[in-house]
């Protein structure tokens, strides 16, 4: 790489026997790459011996050059490369790509140094370990590796996924960047927003989303202390995996319609569970299923270990099978009564109790993902040449970007304000006051996601419909934003919840 060439020297390599070109002041020898080039050999022969910087960036992302750095044989004498390759952990330089609190010129009343340290450490962890695996698994549809789970267990990222709480006390978080007892909902927001930057929606759920929404219920509601501790240790150390199994082919959010039954044995020591569950995230690799069942006088929640009578089959959805989404069948499964969560026949509260946190995490993720889409669009508009000028020079594109940026900025500001309320409220206060606002936020965030996905696809054109190359993040988002709009409560149900909760507090007096 230390070698330098004059532009005249490069120009001589313009035959099929020797194809060189210049991209960003670097010299590439493409001779042995002609047949391997996904865009074909003809286009490379056409630019042989020339400066192909504009052509290259019109069609490729910088990461392509990073991946093929072996083709680079030197630089142009007296010139230096201008494109900056981001280091793992670095912040984006693109305007509006980062939330306002991470932009050097801005201040925020919410975040302190421990938030900043956590953000930095998680960004680097995600760039180094999560993104490469996420991209690979998203493509081939296989499940998260034990190696990554172990890394997340060691650094306590798994434990942080449950949100603030006693389970974090005395734990060293990412090498000690935050004290477990200081971890609050703004740290929690950061965890969701950094992990989502792997840009792989199926893998994002495959990355222990099932645990994040079910271990919380075990911690809060499983009364047998040694069992609760054992399960928590097994799951947070990454040795066992867990998921939430509520929805069925017969009923989604309508718990009264569930048909999975749990019948007590005559000696009162076991439940016998029979039924099926559908759309169970992480179900394919889970060892425990936190399962909603009909019991004699109502609805109850049981912790069911994988074992005799438990069968899982993969469901293909519109995102990657890396999410390990399963159809689960329980056939005469014998479950000890001590595996009951909360009280018998009163399982509704067990399920409801975690909804605020789940929806908060989902809103955090989708709002961050929208900012990434805006970043992709800004980069594309700034590099794509159409009708002789950059896309960004078209007023219609700037109008689209203005709308997208405004949606992102306003959603992030609302999210941070809610996180701040959560930091300053007890669990009971959160339940009383924040169910509605969080529902409205998630609903608004996913409606915004829909608009952003649509505008971004129009901006990218055909590339927004292509799973590889320039538009792959846009394609992925456009195909998958609906998961956030449906999982954890649909847009309509959550918007309705927001208004109904407000009406409960409506003053009695005539206005
Ligand atoms: C170091 C030089 C180059 C490398 C390593 C490279 C690599 C690639 C790769 C990996 C793709 C697949 C799509 C993607 O991942 O973005 C691709 C597509 C393509 N490349 Fe290149 N390329 C190089 C230079 C060029 C140049 C100089 C041109 C044009 C003059 C070109 C034209 C194309 C075209 C037309 C496609 C198809 C794009 C599409 O379908 O949207 N490539 N290239």
């Amino acid at each position: 790489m230390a070698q330098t060439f004059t532009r005249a020297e490069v120009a001589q390599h313009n035959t099929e026997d020797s194809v060189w070109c210049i991209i960003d002041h670097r010299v590439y020898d493409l001779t042995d790459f002609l047949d391997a080039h996904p865009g074909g050999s003809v286009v490379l022969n056409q630019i042989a011996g020339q400066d192909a910087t504009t052509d290259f960036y019109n069609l490729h992302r910088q990461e392509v050059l990073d991946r093929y750095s072996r083709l680079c044989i030197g630089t142009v004498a007296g010139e230096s490369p201008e494109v900056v390759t981001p280091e793992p952990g670095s912040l984006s330089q693109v305007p509006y790509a980062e939330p306002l609190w991470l932009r050097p010129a801005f201040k925020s009343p919410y975040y302190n140094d421990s938030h900043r340290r956590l953000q930095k450490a998680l960004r680097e962890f995600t760039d180094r370990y999560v993104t490469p695996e996420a991209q690979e698994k998203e493509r081939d549809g296989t499940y998260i590796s034990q190696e990554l789970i172990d890394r997340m267990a060691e650094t306590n990222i798994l434990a942080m996924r449950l949100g603030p709480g006693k389970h974090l006390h005395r734990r060293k978080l990412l090498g000690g960047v935050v004290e477990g007892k200081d971890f609050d909902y703004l740290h929690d927001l950061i965890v969701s927003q950094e992990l989502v930057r792997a840009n792989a929606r199926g893998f994002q759920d495959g990355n222990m989303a099932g645990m994040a929404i079910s271990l919380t219920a075990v911690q809060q509601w499983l009364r047998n202390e040694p069992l609760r501790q054992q399960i928590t240790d097994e799951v947070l150390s990454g040795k066992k995996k867990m998921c939430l199994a509520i929805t069925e082919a017969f009923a989604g959010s309508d718990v009264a319609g569930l048909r999975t039954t749990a019948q007590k044995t005559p000696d009162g020591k076991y439940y016998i569970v029979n039924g099926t569950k559908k759309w169970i995230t992480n179900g394919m690799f889970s060892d425990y299923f936190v399962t909603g069942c009909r019991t004699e006088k109502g609805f109850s929640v049981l912790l069911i270990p994988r074992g005799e009578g438990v069968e899982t089959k993969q469901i293909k959805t519109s995102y990657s099978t890396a999410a390990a989404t399963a159809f689960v069948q329980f056939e005469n499964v014998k479950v000890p009564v001590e595996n009951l969560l909360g009280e018998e026949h009163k399982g509704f509260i067990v399920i409801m109790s975690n909804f605020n946190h789940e929806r908060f995490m989902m809103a955090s993720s989708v709002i961050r993902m929208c900012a990434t889409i805006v970043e992709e669009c800004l980069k594309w508009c700034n590099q794509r040449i159409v009708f002789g000028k950059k896309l960004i020079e078209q007023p219609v594109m700037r109008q689209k970007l203005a709308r997208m940026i405004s949606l992102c900025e306003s959603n992030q500001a609302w999210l941070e304000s809610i996180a701040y309320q959560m930091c300053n409220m007890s669990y009971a206060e959160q339940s009383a006051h924040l169910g509605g606002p969080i529902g409205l936020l998630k609903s608004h965030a996913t409606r915004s996601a829909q608009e952003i996905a649509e505008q971004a696809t129009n901006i990218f054109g055909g590339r927004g419909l292509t799973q590889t190359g320039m538009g792959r993040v846009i394609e992925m988002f456009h195909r998958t934003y609906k998961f956030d709009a449906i999982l954890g409560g649909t847009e309509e149900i959550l918007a309705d919840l927001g208004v109904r909760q407000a009406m409960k507090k409506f003053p009695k007096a005539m206005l």
Side-chain angles (χ1 to χ4, degrees):
M1 225 337 234
Q3 219 173 335
T4 57
F5 305 92
T6 62
R7 285 186 173 257
E9 270 178 288
V10 175
Q12 286 164 15
H13 295 268
N14 63 349
T15 65
E16 273 192 37
D17 294 336
S18 183
V19 176
W20 289 14
C21 78
I22 299 169
I23 301 172
D24 184 30
H25 311 279
R26 287 191 168 97
V27 180
Y28 291 84
D29 181 350
L30 305 177
T31 318
D32 293 336
F33 180 61
L34 292 176
D35 291 339
H37 179 226
S41 57
V42 174
V43 288
L44 298 186
N45 282 321
Q46 283 169 346
I47 52 84
Q50 301 170 27
D51 188 324
T53 308
T54 308
D55 282 336
F56 180 84
Y57 285 110
N58 205 14
L59 296 159
H60 312 74
R61 302 162 68 92
Q62 172 62 23
E63 67 188 32
V64 170
L65 277 190
D66 299 339
R67 203 161 5 119
Y68 288 92
S69 56
R70 63 186 155 82
L71 301 175
C72 183
I73 52 170
T75 52
V76 180
E79 301 179 19
S80 333
E82 289 167 31
V83 176
V84 185
T85 306
E87 287 294 310
S90 61
L91 295 174
S92 171
Q93 306 292 313
V94 175
Y96 295 106
E98 301 288 356
L100 189 130
W101 70 280
L102 290 174
R103 295 178 214 151
F106 293 85
K107 306 271 176 288
S108 162
Y110 300 128
Y111 299 93
N112 61 34
D113 284 349
S114 74
H115 296 116
R116 290 181 190 278
R117 286 196 301 270
L118 181 70
Q119 182 280 326
K120 200 164 185 287
L122 256 172
R123 173 78 52 106
E124 194 173 336
F125 185 94
T126 304
D127 288 351
R128 275 194 203 288
Y129 306 115
V130 184
T131 305
E133 173 161 334
Q135 290 303 322
E136 184 195 321
K137 303 286 181 185
E138 190 78 358
R139 267 193 307 275
D140 71 16
T142 57
Y143 309 141
I144 186 167
S145 70
Q146 189 59 43
E147 192 189 341
L148 181 57
I149 296 174
D150 290 344
R151 268 188 209 284
M152 293 193 297
E154 271 162 38
T155 45
N156 284 311
I157 293 175
L158 289 186
M160 286 190 261
R161 296 282 302 279
L162 306 186
K166 284 207 181 93
H167 62 283
L168 293 180
H169 294 190
R170 290 182 302 281
R171 280 182 192 265
K172 218 173 173 192
L173 309 184
L174 267 159
V177 291
V178 196
E179 288 291 319
K181 63 176 175 32
D182 295 336
F183 188 93
D184 62 22
Y185 286 99
L186 286 154
H187 294 105
D188 194 15
L189 181 161
I190 292 167
V191 173
S192 296
Q193 294 212 317
E194 288 301 323
L195 287 175
V196 79
R197 292 183 71 270
N199 293 341
R201 186 64 187 84
F203 182 85
Q204 183 188 320
D205 278 357
N207 185 359
M208 306 290 112
M211 174 211 75
I213 57 175
S214 59
L215 185 58
T216 36
V218 169
Q219 291 208 299
Q220 193 175 350
W221 299 98
L222 189 65
R223 276 173 296 178
N224 182 320
E225 222 258 293
L227 182 63
R228 190 173 68 230
Q229 202 49 54
Q230 174 209 319
I231 307 275
T232 305
D233 289 349
E234 285 173 344
V235 175
L236 292 186
S237 65
K239 293 192 181 76
K240 293 275 167 92
K241 287 119 208 157
M242 162 176 272
C243 64
L244 186 67
I246 305 294
T247 46
E248 299 184 358
F250 304 103
S253 344
D254 170 20
V255 168
L258 296 180
R259 295 204 192 166
T260 296
T261 55
Q263 230 174 6
K264 247 191 192 151
T265 51
D267 62 8
K269 288 187 180 159
Y270 296 95
Y271 289 101
I272 303 297
V273 179
N274 278 289
T276 55
K277 296 285 169 187
K278 197 169 176 182
W279 305 289
I280 306 309
T281 306
N282 300 174
M284 288 308 295
F285 57 63
S286 279
D287 303 288
Y288 295 114
F289 301 80
V290 172
T291 311
C293 306
R294 269 171 61 182
T295 39
E296 210 186 339
K297 292 186 209 140
F299 170 74
S300 307
V301 181
L302 294 176
L303 174 74
I304 306 182
R306 190 184 278 273
E308 210 184 323
V310 179
E311 223 179 87
T312 46
K313 275 191 236 158
Q314 192 183 66
I315 301 180
K316 285 196 174 165
T317 63
S318 43
Y319 67 18
S320 168
T321 51
T325 312
F327 182 83
V328 186
Q329 176 164 291
F330 300 105
E331 190 177 9
N332 291 323
V333 180
K334 209 170 166 188
V335 183
V337 287
E338 67 196 18
N339 286 22
L340 177 72
L341 268 63
E343 284 183 48
E344 195 178 33
H345 318 310
K346 293 186 182 158
F348 197 57
I349 180 77
V350 175
I351 297 308
M352 296 305 289
S353 62
N354 191 42
F355 266 147
N356 278 352
H357 186 245
E358 176 181 353
R359 291 168 185 162
F360 171 73
M361 286 192 301
M362 291 183 73
S364 303
S365 310
V366 74
I367 289 170
R368 186 63 186 82
M369 195 61 226
C370 286
T372 299
I373 297 301
V374 167
E375 178 179 5
E376 292 286 311
C377 289
L378 283 165
K379 284 184 187 161
W380 177 242
C381 287
N382 196 44
Q383 95 187 59
R384 178 67 169 170
I385 310 287
V386 181
F387 304 122
K389 43 184 180 176
K390 286 181 178 182
L391 263 185
I392 196 85
E393 288 173 50
Q394 308 283 357
V396 67
M397 289 297 152
R398 297 200 295 271
Q399 287 300 314
K400 284 185 194 298
L401 289 165
R403 172 76 184 144
M404 293 159 81
I405 291 169
S406 307
L407 287 170
C408 288
E409 295 287 294
S410 52
N411 281 331
Q412 179 76 17
W414 188 6
L415 172 71
E416 290 175 359
S417 139
I418 285 193
Y420 181 74
Q421 308 314 318
M422 291 169 83
C423 292
N424 289 286
M425 282 187 188
S426 66
Y427 178 78
E429 286 169 329
Q430 286 181 29
S431 308
H433 303 295
L434 289 182
I438 291 176
L440 287 174
L441 170 67
K442 177 172 171 290
S443 174
H444 189 258
T446 55
R447 280 280 148 94
S448 306
Q450 176 178 14
E451 194 178 334
I452 289 171
E454 211 165 290
Q455 296 287 18
T457 310
N458 286 359
I459 290 175
F460 270 76
R463 286 181 176 75
L465 306 172
T466 311
Q467 293 200 353
T468 53
M470 299 296 297
R472 68 174 167 74
V473 181
I474 308 300
E475 189 281 334
M476 182 279 298
F477 188 62
H478 189 245
R479 179 166 38 84
T480 61
Y481 71 85
K482 271 288 170 208
F483 282 81
D484 295 298
I486 289 172
L487 272 55
T490 62
E491 275 170 2
E492 291 78 3
I493 291 211
L494 294 188
D496 185 53
L497 172 76
V499 179
R500 277 190 298 115
Q501 215 188 49
M503 293 312 286
K504 277 194 198 156
K505 299 198 171 81
F506 210 79
K508 294 264 186 297
M510 297 292 282
L511 299 174

